[in-house]
Amino acid sequence: MNEANPCPLCGRPLYGWIALPAASGGVTVGMPLGSDPRSERVIDRCEHCGVALEHGRTVDLATEWAAIDRSEGDGDGAIALPNRASLQAAIGVEGWAGIDRGPGSLLLTPRSLELLGERTGHEIASVRTPLSIRAQAWMLQTMLNGLTFHPNFAREVRAGRLRPANARSRFAFAADAVVTVLGAPLVVLVSVPLELIGALARRGGEIVAT
Ligand SMILES: [Zn+2]
């Protein structure tokens, strides 16, 4: 893949990482139906600080900080976002369930979060990747994504975005429903200890910072 813009956080070159189908993920919510489902979004990453972002996107660091800073909203002062340097992101790659769960347009790692704080004049006291319910859910969904035709099947069905009518096929929808319902209890037996190992190795699925 072609070389892209420099990393918005550390200035090193960005390299093409993965391509996502345009139809998946919250980024495309509101896109008109019938837009070309084959068009892909290329995600670049920085091999130095670990941040990832959509190819060619211009990023305003102050806006990115405002998107993740919850110190004024619900007042808990904590930042919580998916960890691109996590074990689950490494397992899932483009099937990682946390990939579109970030509040801004940057997919951050603990290192790149610290850089974003520095660059926007905010002090980050601690960065951890603890065990969390959200991280466990993402690990489970990431592993199920390896088994189903549709990415994030359970989440998309629950949100009402995926129905038999707009599935790849009725067979694929039915197969995913069976795999999700019957497979989830078994996959949990693997996903829970894996996420625990990730958290212990400081590679948990969610970054929590103050
Ligand atoms: Zn960088």
Side-chain angles (χ1 to χ4, degrees):
M1 275 183 223
N2 297 329
E3 207 169 292
N5 299 327
C7 171
L9 295 174
C10 71
R12 310 285 177 97
L14 291 173
Y15 297 97
W17 176 41
I18 52 172
L20 293 179
S24 82
V27 184
T28 54
V29 165
M31 262 175 63
L33 285 175
S35 60
D36 186 357
R38 289 164 303 175
S39 66
E40 290 184 325
R41 295 178 295 138
V42 172
I43 310 292
D44 293 334
R45 71 170 165 185
C46 172
E47 289 172 5
H48 180 67
C49 72
V51 74
L53 68 155
E54 193 168 343
H55 181 81
R57 180 183 282 247
T58 355
V59 172
D60 177 50
L61 295 186
T63 310
E64 292 302 320
W65 180 269
I68 63 169
D69 186 5
R70 301 194 309 190
S71 56
E72 285 171 16
D74 49 17
D76 61 3
I79 289 168
L81 44 143
N83 178 13
R84 205 194 67 79
S86 60
L87 183 61
Q88 55 176 255
I91 290 173
V93 195
E94 65 267 37
W96 174 38
I99 202 161
D100 56 356
R101 300 288 95 184
S105 55
L106 297 178
L107 271 169
L108 294 164
T109 61
R111 172 79 189 119
S112 50
L113 172 61
E114 283 172 355
L115 279 174
L116 178 61
E118 275 172 31
R119 298 284 303 272
T120 54
H122 296 88
E123 196 173 332
I124 295 174
S126 85
V127 178
R128 297 175 301 124
T129 64
L131 268 186
S132 75
I133 300 286
R134 288 214 302 172
Q136 286 289 3
W138 290 335
M139 177 63 100
L140 171 61
Q141 183 70 71
T142 297
M143 299 192 71
L144 285 171
N145 282 349
L147 305 174
T148 56
F149 293 106
H150 304 89
N152 304 310
F153 179 79
R155 186 171 83 202
E156 295 301 302
V157 169
R158 254 202 330 264
R161 289 188 292 264
L162 180 63
R163 296 175 301 280
N166 65 1
R168 286 188 185 191
S169 70
R170 283 176 185 275
F171 168 78
F173 187 93
D176 283 1
V178 169
V179 165
T180 300
V181 170
L182 297 185
L186 296 173
V187 175
V188 159
L189 298 177
V190 181
S191 72
V192 167
L194 267 183
E195 181 57 29
L196 177 62
I197 291 166
L200 290 174
R202 305 175 62 86
R203 292 187 67 196
E206 187 172 42
I207 304 174
V208 175
T210 48

